[in-house]
């Protein structure tokens, strides 16, 4: 059991560790629906605000320093990036373009919304979305818009707190409580929240287990 109360048995945690220790390869980027790879295996998508630390968390998840591209300029990724896990591949990770970057042009925001909304609504292979929330700020209104999109599309999702090492334990507990309260209101949300840090490794084993669990 992790510190946040999410329960995963040791067998699942070890199986997840072994799976992510194996091959993980970039497959392709999809700027539009017609460029999506065939929906031939389960997919788990990662979503979050542009500065939430999504690329760093993905790199920590797979134990590689540069699988997902990190940038000092938030909002750089504007495509769906697909990564094959396993050899041969058994499932895919999908890095969704960050949202909520204030300086993004309106046409970019509109393109993001159409791409993500169409992917979420129509992707049969999508088993779960992991929505990343910055522990320093908690859930913001722009996050609620995405949660509403997921609820409407009936896509199962789990909220994941990032950068948990950047806040005091008392503040983290408060953010966790507020996030759990939000999850209880949401029809498609998993009730248990994960707390993670890409820098310290906190919660990474549980995050890997959560990914494996979601694909069955």
């Amino acid at each position: 059991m992790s510190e946040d109360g999410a329960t995963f048995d040791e067998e699942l945690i070890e199986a997840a560790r072994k799976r992510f220790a194996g091959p993980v390869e970039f497959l392709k980027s999809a700027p539009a629906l017609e460029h999506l790879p065939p929906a031939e295996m389960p997919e788990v998508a990662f979503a979050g605000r542009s500065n939430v630390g999504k690329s760093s968390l993905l790199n920590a998840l797979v134990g590689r320093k540069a699988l997902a591209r990190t940038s000092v300029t938030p909002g750089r990724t504007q495509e769906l990036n697909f990564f094959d896990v396993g050899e041969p591949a058994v499932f895919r990770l999908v890095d969704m373009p960050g949202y909520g970057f204030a300086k993004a042009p309106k046409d970019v925001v509109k393109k993001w919304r159409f791409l993500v909304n169409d992917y979420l609504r129509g992707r049969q292979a999508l088993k779960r979305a992991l929505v990343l929330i910055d522990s320093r700020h908690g859930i913001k209104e722009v996050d609620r818009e995405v949660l509403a999109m997921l609820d409407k599309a009936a896509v199962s999702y789990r909220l994941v707190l990032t950068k948990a090492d950047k806040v005091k334990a008392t503040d983290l507990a408060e953010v966790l409580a507020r996030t759990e309260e939000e999850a209880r209101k949401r029809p498609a949300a998993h009730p248990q929240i994960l707390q993670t840090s890409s820098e310290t490794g906190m919660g990474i084993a549980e995050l890997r287990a959560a990914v494996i669990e979601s694909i069955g």
Side-chain angles (χ1 to χ4, degrees):
M1 179 180 291
S2 64
E3 294 173 4
D4 55 20
T7 304
F8 301 99
D9 63 48
E10 292 301 320
E11 189 175 333
L12 177 60
I13 285 180
E14 178 60 14
R17 184 194 67 78
K18 288 181 177 178
R19 174 56 68 192
F20 282 104
V24 181
E25 300 291 340
F26 172 74
L27 176 64
K28 68 178 301 186
S29 293
L33 289 187
E34 57 265 31
H35 298 288
L36 294 179
E40 57 196 4
M41 65 186 71
E43 294 172 357
V44 177
F46 287 72
R49 292 198 306 272
S50 295
N51 58 350
V52 77
K54 183 160 50 66
S55 294
S56 296
L57 192 69
L58 275 166
N59 288 333
L61 178 76
V62 301
R64 292 157 177 80
K65 290 184 178 180
L67 182 78
R69 184 174 57 185
T70 58
S71 173
V72 294
T73 306
R76 181 176 174 184
T77 302
Q78 294 299 331
E79 302 173 335
L80 295 169
N81 292 314
F82 291 80
F83 301 89
D84 281 348
V85 182
E87 179 58 53
V90 291
F91 68 93
R92 288 186 178 130
L93 302 177
V94 186
D95 183 8
M96 299 174 70
Y99 58 82
F101 184 50
K103 294 181 181 179
K106 286 185 178 179
D107 61 328
V108 171
V109 175
K110 186 176 181 181
K111 179 184 175 184
W112 176 92
R113 184 168 290 277
F114 278 119
L115 174 62
V116 169
N117 200 19
D118 288 347
Y119 170 75
L120 294 176
R121 285 187 306 173
R123 193 67 167 173
Q124 296 272 327
L126 180 60
K127 298 303 181 184
R128 179 161 292 167
L130 298 172
V131 183
L132 311 188
I133 305 294
D134 193 322
S135 295
R136 300 171 299 179
H137 308 300
I139 294 177
K140 292 190 172 184
E141 197 54 40
V142 68
D143 297 311
R144 291 188 177 92
E145 292 176 12
V146 172
L147 301 186
M149 188 188 297
L150 289 161
D151 288 330
K152 188 174 181 180
V155 174
S156 172
Y157 61 93
R158 185 194 282 267
L159 296 169
V160 178
L161 295 176
T162 64
K163 304 182 182 182
D165 61 306
K166 304 297 185 185
V167 298
K168 293 187 295 187
T170 51
D171 294 337
L172 183 59
E174 189 177 313
V175 170
L176 175 61
R178 291 201 306 267
T179 307
E180 287 174 335
E181 182 181 359
E182 184 79 36
R184 285 193 290 269
K185 302 175 185 175
R186 300 284 177 177
H190 193 286
Q192 294 177 331
I193 314 301
L194 293 175
Q195 302 172 73
T196 66
S197 166
S198 59
E199 287 194 15
T200 68
M202 173 185 179
I204 299 302
E206 288 80 11
L207 181 61
R208 288 173 181 150
V211 170
I212 299 300
E213 180 186 63
S214 68
I215 63 173

